[in-house]
Amino acid sequence: RMEGEEQGAVTVLSHHVIELNTMLCFAWGPAEVLVCETLFGRTENGAPSSSRVFVVRRDQDIYIQTLRKLFNESHGIFMGLQRSEEELAGKSRKAQLVQVSKNYRSVIRACMEDMHQAAVSTRDPALQGQYSTQVSILSAMELIWNLCEILFVEAATAGPLLLRLLDWVRLHVCDVDSMVRDVLGSESPSKHKLFWNVVDIFVLQGRMDEARHLLSKEATANPASMNMYKILDDLMKKMPLSNTQTLTELELKWQHWHEECQRYLQDGTFASNPHMESICKILLGDEDAILEKKELMTTWYHFLVTRLLYSHPTVKPMELRFYAQSSMDLFLGGESSPEPLDLILMAAFEFEMHQVIKECSIVLSNWWFVAHLTDLLDHCKLLQSHNLYFGSNMREFLLLEYASGLFSHHSLWQLGVDYFDHCPEYGRVYLELHIERIPLSTEQKALKVLRICEQRQMHEQVRSICKIMAMKALRNNRLGSALSWSIRAKDAAFATLISDRFLKDYCERGCFSDLDLIDNLGPSMLLSDRLTFLGKYREFHRLYGEQRFAEAARLLLTLMTAHIAPCSFWMTLLTDALPLLEQKEVIFSAEQTYELMRCLEDLTSPNPGSAPFQDDDVETTKVEMLRLALARNLARVIVKEGTVEGS
């Protein structure tokens, strides 16, 4: 077992620990798998197989400390979504779901920033590499989630759709802030080597106001280009955007604007300045001109959004698939094959939700993303028709997988309980199976697990936990705790066993331990005869201590005549009667004295099936003392009762 970020984390096996071309044996568990090498397929002269057994966990990310925020905070968002009023309809419900989606994204981003900070602050190259990898994964997760939010949750329509995609690109692609600071911070911004790169990036992202602001620096520094600048600035200023106008109005305005750009380009207005001419071509949606800026865009989906912005700003959601595919083909140009992230984004643009979930399940390193995204899409009523062949729907299947992973962690398992609670078909069964496997390392943890089981009426698990804890306490000779757990488990046999241990300890030490527990058994003492006897015997001692001798005598006699007391304890009870028999005042009546005598004779005479009386000197002495005391008490009673009758 190889340790990771936290205790219990296990790394993925590689050829460094298991030889290649080796037949392996697997044994699957709820959250991990045992792996070992086998002799199968080896020749007689082959090398001996390894005797090592490896434990491989399927959800390693759960053990990364810096990801704890992701799991803990998203749990609260998930629970809020389950409790939300589904009666809200139309725009109110959609706005609520969009806000939930944004909350999830804010958690991803916060976690990503923490991870980035950890990567910067650590001096360990290996850790730095791990953190950087996690930053990349979280960044990809937010990129995918944001796109799904736009296309599926918000379901943006033609017009607003492009504005949302522009925001998406600006947030996730081409972070130019540092480049802008370098340019604006220089003595002569327009002379900076990156000046036109920054202008181009602003134009490619539709950030016209910022592009115009930078171009004004060029006009100020180069008065000869003032006329060209004013024309280009005017074109950029007049570019129509779909804010409040209808699609028809937007298309008409955009067509007029496009023709004006075309006219200036054909007139050669910008011919003397290649940079401005290139910008004008981009405004016209010239694919070649846009592709020349390939290195500034870095990704095909940036190219897609820029292409749509300047050639088809009123694109409809269902048309995205065609533009996305052609944009990826044009951008990659056969030089490289699509990465897994590209395929996921393409599936989203094609509105293949199930393919997005499937690809993310394969590519991402944990179930968190697909479980929460699928749950959100299910609340959007987008996955209602998709059931898996074995009964459960996709939402429940992924939540079960995610929650099962949480249960392998020493503290995150508590979050997993709530996820199982919201899986109506198999959640209860999974919870019962997993909760039985939680190591009950402390009594506090056992009480926590017990409370969860009791709240859900999981009676079998409650009994199992109580029995386990009772056995642990008994092994550690903590009889009070053991008795308390056995009573809670309603285990009569175990309660009898522990009661016998209490009585044995009393015989050896002459006093009871855990008096508070025994004194407050209440109705619980009826769980078993032996426990009843223990409680009543302790009550006898309490009455005797309070000098309520008559009540103590009646109780002692009842314990013997009702056969609640074990036969092996009768001598102890009779011995306890001695001080009462020797009191100045007569306590036992004649009838009670005869009963005690009968009990003594039953104890000392050999009867078939009864325990043999230990005929040693000590026991013989006790018997003689008891007989003498009983005889004297009987004589006193007869005299007393005769005197009363005579008067």
Side-chain angles (χ1 to χ4, degrees), residues 530-548:
R530 199 61 46 81
L531 186 57
T532 304
F533 170 72
L534 177 65
K536 291 296 181 183
Y537 185 54
R538 166 58 194 153
E539 187 180 341
F540 160 76
H541 277 274
R542 184 171 55 79
L543 292 171
Y544 186 87
E546 293 171 2
Q547 297 189 358
R548 294 157 65 183

Side-chain angles (χ1 to χ4, degrees), residues 206 235 251 426 476 515 575 596 600:
L235 289 174
E251 285 174 347
Y426 294 118
N476 293 323
L515 287 180
T575 307
L596 287 173
L600 181 59

Side-chain angles (χ1 to χ4, degrees), residues 307-352:
R307 183 185 173 197
L308 291 172
L309 175 63
Y310 296 115
S311 64
H312 195 9
T314 57
V315 63
K316 296 179 177 63
M318 286 300 122
E319 296 171 339
L320 280 175
R321 66 176 66 218
F322 309 112
Y323 287 101
Q325 188 61 59
S326 61
S327 296
M328 187 167 74
D329 294 341
L330 283 168
F331 193 85
L332 297 179
E335 297 173 9
S336 59
S337 56
E339 296 288 333
L341 177 60
D342 299 325
L343 298 176
I344 293 169
L345 296 176
M346 182 60 70
F349 282 123
E350 292 174 347
F351 284 81
E352 294 287 346

Side-chain angles (χ1 to χ4, degrees), residues 377 432 638:
L377 295 177
E432 288 173 354
I638 290 171

Side-chain angles (χ1 to χ4, degrees), residues 120-132:
V120 170
S121 59
T122 187
R123 295 182 179 180
D124 184 345
L127 271 180
Q128 198 169 42
Q130 281 184 25
Y131 291 143
S132 299

Side-chain angles (χ1 to χ4, degrees), residues 143-144 146-148 150-152 161-162 164-166 168-169 300-305 308 315-325 327-328 341-353 355-356:
L143 177 74
I144 299 164
N146 197 350
L147 183 59
C148 291
I150 294 166
L151 300 178
F152 306 143
L161 174 61
L162 186 63
R164 300 291 180 276
L165 290 176
L166 276 171
W168 175 62
V169 163
W300 66 268
Y301 39 93
H302 189 337
F303 171 58
L304 163 67
V305 176
L308 291 172
V315 63
K316 296 179 177 63
M318 286 300 122
E319 296 171 339
L320 280 175
R321 66 176 66 218
F322 309 112
Y323 287 101
Q325 188 61 59
S327 296
M328 187 167 74
L341 177 60
D342 299 325
L343 298 176
I344 293 169
L345 296 176
M346 182 60 70
F349 282 123
E350 292 174 347
F351 284 81
E352 294 287 346
M353 277 174 277
Q355 189 64 25
V356 171

Side-chain angles (χ1 to χ4, degrees), residues 213-227:
H213 174 70
L214 270 183
L215 282 173
S216 67
K217 306 282 186 186
E218 164 67 10
T220 305
N222 190 0
S225 63
M226 181 63 75
N227 188 48

